[in-house]
């Protein structure tokens, strides 16, 4: 970390995140509409808080495009990892109707923004190890560990596997942010990942099992790592050498 002030700021901001965005509302509220509404309100409050309290420790938010950013496009295939499960197991599925779709969508948008502001814009920005890769790994590990809240709210062993693929997702998001410096990319990628793998998938009547979680984790973590390592070695490493 850069200074003690940075560490203290991140701890306070993370603490607020836990009690707002990551709060298990479903343990206290039984109505799905009010659960989602609470999540949206909590996320909006956190976004306001982080800009008021942590803005000077955050990276400047930019939306610039570089032609090298096109190398990130193949990572989009990972977004459909849950559908690979369907293809491999040959499971059919039916779409069920839910009138809460719109508010679920809004919830995903604000949660994605909240998580990216904390884990990439604040935490990743304040890690100062000699290697960008180390910074990305550490921030991804923190991102994954935060998702243990799902396990502690349900004590479902399957929820422990969420840590695996959120680590992989964190690596992808961290790499994109470090090498593009485009905040819009990580917001869109995070939103689309949650949209496809959580919201749309939850509307399908499917018998989930351990295979689903394993494929989800392997596809996101393993294939994402292999691709990121490849473009780092053959694209960005050469670019860094040329700049030096």
């Amino acid at each position: 970390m850069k200074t003690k002030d940075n560490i203290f700021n991140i701890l306070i901001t993370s603490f607020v995140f836990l009690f707002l965005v990551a709060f298990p509302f479903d343990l206290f509220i039984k109505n799905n509409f009010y659960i989602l509404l609470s999540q949206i309100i909590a996320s909006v409050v956190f976004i306001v808080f982080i800009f008021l309290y942590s803005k000077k420790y955050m990276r400047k938010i930019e939306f610039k495009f570089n032609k090298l950013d096109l190398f990130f496009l193949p990572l989009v295939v990972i977004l459909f990892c849950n559908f690979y499960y369907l293809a491999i197991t040959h499971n059919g599925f039916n779409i069920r109707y839910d009138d809460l779709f719109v508010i679920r969508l809004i919830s995903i948008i604000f949660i994605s923004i909240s998580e990216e502001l904390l884990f990439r814009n604040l935490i990743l920005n304040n890690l100062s190890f000699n290697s960008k890769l180390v910074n990305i790994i550490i921030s991804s590990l923190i991102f994954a560990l935060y998702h243990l809240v799902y396990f502690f709210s349900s004590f479902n062993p399957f929820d422990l596997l969420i840590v695996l693929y959120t680590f992989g997702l964190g690596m992808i998001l961290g790499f994109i942010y470090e090498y593009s410096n485009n905040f819009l990319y990580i917001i869109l990628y995070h939103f689309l990942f949650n949209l496809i793998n959580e919201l749309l998938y939850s509307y399908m009547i499917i018998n989930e099992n351990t295979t689903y979680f394993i494929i989800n984790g392997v596809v996101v973590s393993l294939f994402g790592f292999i691709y990121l390592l490849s473009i780092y070695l053959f694209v960005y490493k050469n670019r860094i050498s040329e700049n030096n």
Side-chain angles (χ1 to χ4, degrees):
M1 294 293 180
K2 296 178 180 179
T3 67
K4 290 182 179 179
D5 288 341
N6 294 48
I7 298 174
F8 179 77
N9 178 275
I10 289 174
L11 288 175
I12 293 297
T13 307
S14 300
F15 183 80
V16 173
F17 176 88
L18 278 175
F19 281 88
L20 285 175
V21 183
F23 188 81
F25 291 103
D26 57 319
L27 295 181
F28 305 94
I29 305 173
K30 300 307 177 184
N31 184 288
N32 287 332
F33 175 83
Y34 290 111
I35 291 173
L36 293 167
L37 183 61
S38 299
Q39 291 174 340
I40 293 170
I41 294 172
S43 297
V44 171
V45 172
F46 176 76
I47 292 170
V48 173
F49 171 82
I50 197 171
F51 276 109
L52 291 177
Y53 184 74
S54 306
K55 187 175 182 179
K56 69 177 182 178
Y57 301 101
M58 295 164 62
R59 186 182 304 184
K60 180 182 177 182
I61 294 179
E62 298 183 15
F63 305 101
K64 60 183 181 180
F65 171 76
N66 186 293
K67 62 181 181 180
L68 287 178
D69 297 345
L70 294 173
F71 283 102
F72 298 131
L73 285 178
L75 291 169
V76 173
V77 299
I78 295 174
L79 296 175
F80 297 90
C81 57
N82 287 344
F83 293 92
Y84 304 146
Y85 164 76
L86 296 180
I88 292 174
T89 60
H90 304 290
N91 269 354
F93 62 88
N94 297 307
I95 303 297
R96 59 184 174 82
Y97 174 74
D98 188 336
D99 56 2
L100 295 176
F101 181 86
V102 174
I103 193 169
R104 290 181 192 276
L105 188 66
I106 296 172
S107 175
I108 285 179
I109 292 171
F110 282 105
I111 289 175
S112 299
I113 294 173
S114 300
E115 291 187 345
E116 290 314 306
L117 285 172
L118 175 63
F119 295 106
R120 253 61 63 180
N121 195 282
L122 180 62
I123 292 179
L124 179 56
N125 184 54
N126 284 278
L127 292 174
S128 54
F129 294 97
N130 294 329
S131 168
K132 280 188 176 183
L133 181 59
V134 174
N135 291 334
I136 293 170
I137 292 173
I138 297 299
S139 66
S140 301
L141 182 60
I142 296 171
F143 177 61
L145 291 176
Y146 265 85
H147 284 78
L148 281 173
V149 69
Y150 293 106
F151 170 74
F152 291 121
S153 63
S154 67
F155 292 101
N156 185 341
F158 285 150
D159 288 339
L160 289 175
L161 291 171
I162 292 176
V163 176
L164 174 62
Y165 72 79
T166 50
F167 174 76
L169 177 62
M171 288 289 293
I172 292 171
L173 292 167
F175 191 95
I176 292 174
Y177 195 38
E178 278 294 294
Y179 289 96
S180 72
N181 201 34
N182 191 320
F183 193 69
L184 179 63
Y185 290 167
I186 58 174
I187 290 294
L188 286 175
Y189 196 90
H190 196 150
F191 166 72
L192 289 173
F193 181 88
N194 288 346
L195 172 66
I196 294 170
N197 290 287
E198 292 182 19
L199 182 57
L200 296 184
Y201 196 79
S202 69
Y203 278 77
M204 300 176 186
I205 302 174
I206 302 169
N207 294 321
E208 296 181 358
N209 55 36
T210 308
T211 308
Y212 153 72
F213 289 98
I214 292 175
I215 291 176
N216 200 344
V218 168
V219 171
V220 175
S221 300
L222 181 59
F223 289 102
F225 172 78
I226 292 172
Y227 181 75
L228 289 174
L229 181 62
S230 299
I231 62 173
Y232 171 76
L233 293 175
F234 297 105
V235 179
Y236 287 98
K237 190 174 182 180
N238 293 332
R239 184 188 180 194
I240 293 171
S241 300
E242 291 173 0
N243 292 337
N244 292 334

